[in-house]
Amino acid sequence: MRRSFVAIACAALLSVTALPAAAAGKTDPRQAAMDTAVAAGIPGMVAVADGFRGVSGVADITRPGKPTASGRWRIASVSKVFVATLVLQLVAEKRVGLDEPVQRYLPGLLPYPEPITVRQVLQHTSGLPRDLLPEDSWATGPEIDTERFEHFDSDDEIRLSTSKQPLQFKPGTSWAYSNTGYNVLALLVEKTTRKPLERVLAERITGPLHLRDTSLPRDFPFLIGAAARGYEQLYDAPRGLTDVTTYNYSRYYGAGGMVSSGADLNRFFEALLGGRLLPADLLAQMKKTVPAAGMEYGLGLMKLNLKELGACAEDITIWGHGGDLPGFNTLSFHDESGKNISTLATVDLTASPDASLKRQLPMVNEFCTPVIPVKAAAQAPVPSL
């Protein structure tokens, strides 16, 4: 898909609108927010928080039936937090140096003479290209439909992306989101441990935390135990939504290829932010942020201030990540008091501006009563995959 198409189709302003008074008065505000998003055009939504599991809309537009709150979905760029955690665990074991060049561990992979450190790749300050060129990936909506089963080896996307594109800037001098960079980090994990990424994930994170719904499927295209099916408007009317649930996302294996559930995501972030996965000094490094497109970004973690974004009257800081893939929009955010929420919306790239706004409201409602009137941000705080 062309980068301009992604930017236009994925742009979602983290701002808020009033819920219908009657609905807000009768139901949980998170449920009311999901219902509002569905009314705006999202086929289905799921929200999972402590003491709350809500669904709205349908799981499958071809038949009756609500989404499943305990089901799995494609978490897209939320995968980056898992990969960053693995890298930092290797740093803790002194097998990787945060400020060492990635070229030391992956010689010959990157064609650039400039040294690029592990920290810079984690924080998106490396200057590495964001994605593949359109000629090597999606250039139109219909190509998302027709290019479902293309296989990528671990280094394919990296070599295709970097061999044809210069650095976006001198490493360490700016910030720009890079999926290519997180594929580099995934390959770093594999080369350092001499194990496939999915095995390292199982041994170090999903197994110890009993995250039974969380995996890296690579070439396996089917979504087993889906919370709901994902859709996009890939063709012009009168053709309707296209089901994009079945897909091979090996091209994004480190950047956004994982599958999980709301409960598993909350359990993972609780363990990570609670200090169970990293030593205190490295968790502090992970949370050391730089300014980044309307938010702040650490080492694989997004930091949002909901007051500064105009979403809440209170000064509330939340940590987590967002993710975007065809058919699946994920928000998984958590505050210092232990509140957790993970949400799914089943149209992502082609959601209308109104639906893109309203699918964020269930997450905001977990942390505050949204501010009215709306204060719109100028750019999406959650970069798309």
Side-chain angles (χ1 to χ4, degrees):
M1 185 185 308
R2 297 186 193 278
R3 195 168 303 171
S4 60
F5 178 83
V6 174
I8 294 168
C10 293
L13 309 179
L14 184 64
S15 59
V16 296
T17 55
L19 300 174
K26 293 180 180 179
T27 62
D28 185 291
R30 295 161 293 190
Q31 183 65 52
M34 284 192 293
D35 295 343
T36 299
V38 168
I42 301 294
M45 282 207 72
V46 173
V48 179
D50 290 342
F52 177 78
R53 290 191 172 203
V55 299
S56 187
V58 295
D60 184 332
I61 63 173
T62 67
R63 59 177 63 98
K66 290 186 174 296
T68 302
S70 60
R72 301 181 180 98
W73 69 80
R74 301 191 188 280
I75 63 170
S77 281
V78 183
S79 307
K80 290 179 171 69
V81 191
F82 287 84
V83 172
T85 301
L86 293 177
V87 172
L88 290 171
Q89 287 180 343
L90 296 175
V91 171
E93 296 164 12
K94 302 190 184 306
R95 300 171 72 180
V96 171
L98 261 181
D99 295 306
E100 292 293 326
V102 295
Q103 290 93 329
R104 172 181 172 182
Y105 308 104
L106 299 168
L109 177 67
L110 301 178
Y112 312 113
E114 297 90 341
I116 298 170
T117 69
V118 174
R119 184 191 303 273
Q120 288 165 348
V121 183
L122 283 165
Q123 199 153 43
H124 298 297
T125 58
S126 68
L128 286 169
R130 178 187 171 106
D131 281 305
L132 295 169
L133 287 169
E135 65 199 58
D136 297 313
S137 186
W138 309 310
T140 66
E143 286 181 359
I144 295 175
D145 186 18
T146 59
E147 296 181 9
R148 291 172 181 258
F149 302 112
E150 188 171 358
H151 165 76
F152 282 74
D153 287 333
S154 294
D155 63 347
D156 284 348
E157 187 276 345
I158 300 166
R159 294 189 187 279
L160 271 173
S161 176
T162 60
S163 65
K164 298 182 178 183
Q165 300 177 84
L167 292 174
Q168 299 185 72
F169 48 80
K170 182 180 177 181
T173 64
S174 189
W175 187 93
Y177 202 65
S178 176
N179 290 316
T180 298
Y182 267 76
N183 281 346
V184 170
L185 292 172
L187 189 60
L188 170 63
V189 170
E190 292 190 328
K191 295 296 185 183
T192 303
T193 62
R194 299 184 180 181
K195 297 175 183 178
L197 182 63
E198 52 267 49
R199 183 174 171 187
V200 184
L201 279 164
E203 291 177 352
R204 291 173 172 264
I205 297 178
T206 63
L209 296 181
H210 306 290
L211 306 182
R212 296 182 178 87
D213 295 321
T214 304
S215 65
L216 176 67
R218 293 236 196 196
D219 287 305
F220 186 73
F222 303 106
L223 185 58
I224 306 300
R229 303 192 70 80
Y231 300 93
E232 297 291 348
Q233 186 67 50
L234 301 181
Y235 300 91
D236 293 337
R239 186 161 174 176
L241 294 171
T242 297
D243 188 327
V244 289
T245 309
T246 301
Y247 223 102
N248 178 336
Y249 281 115
S250 56
R251 72 183 70 199
Y252 286 138
Y253 90 110
M258 291 179 64
V259 167
S260 191
S261 65
D264 271 14
L265 287 176
N266 291 347
R267 190 177 306 126
F268 165 68
F269 276 104
E270 183 178 5
L272 174 63
L273 298 174
R276 292 169 52 196
L277 294 176
L278 293 173
D281 62 327
L282 282 173
L283 181 58
Q285 296 243 34
M286 194 180 201
K287 296 172 75 173
K288 188 175 181 180
T289 62
V290 296
M295 60 171 179
E296 296 179 49
Y297 204 94
L299 304 184
L301 272 181
M302 293 179 175
K303 178 183 179 182
L304 304 181
N305 184 296
L306 294 179
K307 182 177 182 180
E308 291 177 2
L309 290 167
C312 300
E314 303 93 337
D315 191 14
I316 296 172
T317 295
I318 56 176
W319 297 89
H321 217 286
D324 300 85
L325 274 178
F328 297 92
N329 172 268
T330 302
L331 296 172
S332 188
F333 283 93
H334 317 271
D335 72 6
E336 300 290 354
S337 74
K339 286 185 177 181
N340 297 292
I341 189 165
S342 295
T343 67
L344 162 69
T346 60
V347 165
D348 184 72
L349 307 180
T350 57
S352 70
D354 187 42
S356 296
L357 289 172
K358 290 175 179 174
R359 71 189 178 193
Q360 300 180 73
L361 287 176
M363 183 271 285
V364 175
N365 272 280
E366 174 66 17
F367 302 106
C368 73
T369 299
V371 170
I372 301 169
V374 173
K375 177 184 177 183
Q379 176 65 35
V382 181
S384 61
L385 179 65

